[in-house]
Amino acid sequence: MRKWFHKLLPEKSDWNFQKADLREEKRKLENPSRGWYRIYTFEVDKIPNFQPMLWCDLEGDTLVMVILNIGAYKEKELDAQGLEHIRDILRFFAKKQYEIILRITYDHEGKALEREPFFFSTVTGHMRQLIPVWNEFREHIFVYQGLLVGNWGEMHTSRFLHPQKLKELWRILKEESSPKVYCAVRKPSYWRLLHPNNEKDNMGLFDDAIFGSENHLGTFGTLAKEKAAWNEAWCKADELEFEDDLCNIVPNGGEAICGEYYLSQETPQSTVETLRKMHITYLNKEYDKRLLGIWKDWKWEGQGVWQNSSLYEYIESHLGYRFLVKDVNMVELQEERKRLRIDICVENVGFANYYEVAEVVLEQVNAKQQSKITVIDTDIRYWSSGMEQCITTEIQAETSELFLYIRRKADNKVLYLANASDADAKVLIGQVVYNGELR
């Protein structure tokens, strides 16, 4: 791919290009739709208490998980007061500009069989009541996890895991909720159950037992894909291949757990390989503290700027997407001597993709500090983890500095690149000069 960048300039070119220092900076990027999260749990029948959350502004997180316990309504509809409490909770985090990972459940203590409704019709009724509320906050909800049922809302230990019941809950959710909100189910086998024809949509995955055992505490099975049904759990290797494909277009995240398996079988390298294969975008910042402590003690021995950093630092900075400008080249167009072609190579060195619509902008600033903006024709949702993308655009030939930046289209929020950048997230990628001189 790099060969494409090194075509010779015309023999008598009037314009030259001085490439900027494009080395990666070793820093955490406080970008949206990725990173660590903390959990905040509320019982919907009670007035929400936000005091414990007021200090969290200092942490620099962009994500938060909100768990809403509706167990008090196991034998009745949600009332107006409960629904308004949900709005108050979502409004609180939206005002603080957090993106919300939302989970609604009847239980947050591992007692779903006691606390879930007796009738499935009550569950479907609650689903229909809840969807209009979270549709109101669709711009602030990043992922909705689960289908209401199971211990901690994790879709296990429940009377309502029969395939037809899960399909009915997903039908309601898919038909009535906003497609702008990503959904997620607990296992790849559940995803396949709900997508018999492998038709991809806005449903991703979450895994709250990453590294808990060889099969992630039952997330994966033992049978090879070739010997199992489509909606059965496959062996780890095949499930990771499945996640590698699926989670190029939908997010995946959850919790990592430390056990004897991890200590005896995993290494820094294998840990990163698994997180990258799963395309992990977000992880719990507080659980499992034992495992997080191990990551802080272990060193990352890979090459580059992160060598000898802690594994924790490396994982923290590579959750989700991380875009790095690797190379830039300029070609003077022969047929139009006043036009220049700028070729830019960007690599996504993060674990996952960026899943929202964004614009890649080239800003040309001349000697008089006049600025010209060019939006480059590309879709960064397809800038896959570990891949280099070559993007190109044309500009007017003029002595100038060139800056690159990315902004989310929905709200113009900037995404920081891994190169050195200014406070506005703009990366200087080089200077266009006339006959080697600025003028």
Side-chain angles (χ1 to χ4, degrees), residues 66-79:
V66 175
I67 295 180
L68 304 178
N69 187 325
I70 59 172
Y73 297 92
K74 63 176 291 185
E75 297 179 352
K76 58 184 178 180
E77 289 186 344
L78 292 160
D79 55 24

Side-chain angles (χ1 to χ4, degrees), residues 322-335:
R322 183 179 178 91
F323 300 130
L324 174 67
V325 181
K326 299 293 289 292
D327 202 359
V328 184
N329 189 52
M330 185 195 80
V331 176
E332 185 174 345
L333 299 177
Q334 286 294 293
E335 66 275 12

Side-chain angles (χ1 to χ4, degrees), residues 234-246:
W234 301 343
C235 67
K236 180 179 179 180
D238 287 337
E239 292 288 30
L240 290 181
E241 288 297 327
F242 178 82
E243 294 191 16
D244 188 20
D245 175 65
L246 174 65

Side-chain angles (χ1 to χ4, degrees), residues 188 207 214-216 218-222 233-236 239-240 243:
D207 187 344
E214 186 173 6
N215 66 9
H216 291 201
T219 302
F220 311 137
T222 58
W234 301 343
C235 67
K236 180 179 179 180
E239 292 288 30
L240 290 181
E243 294 191 16

Side-chain angles (χ1 to χ4, degrees), residues 93-107:
F93 290 103
K95 284 184 177 179
K96 291 184 170 294
Q97 298 185 329
Y98 287 105
E99 291 180 283
I100 299 167
I101 304 163
L102 179 63
R103 189 185 298 179
I104 304 179
T105 178
Y106 296 97
D107 160 72

Side-chain angles (χ1 to χ4, degrees), residues 285-302:
K285 192 174 188 175
E286 298 180 313
Y287 192 85
D288 174 333
K289 289 186 180 296
R290 183 186 181 197
L291 182 59
L292 299 179
I294 291 170
W295 288 355
K296 290 176 181 179
D297 290 337
W298 282 1
K299 296 295 183 183
W300 173 245
E301 300 299 338

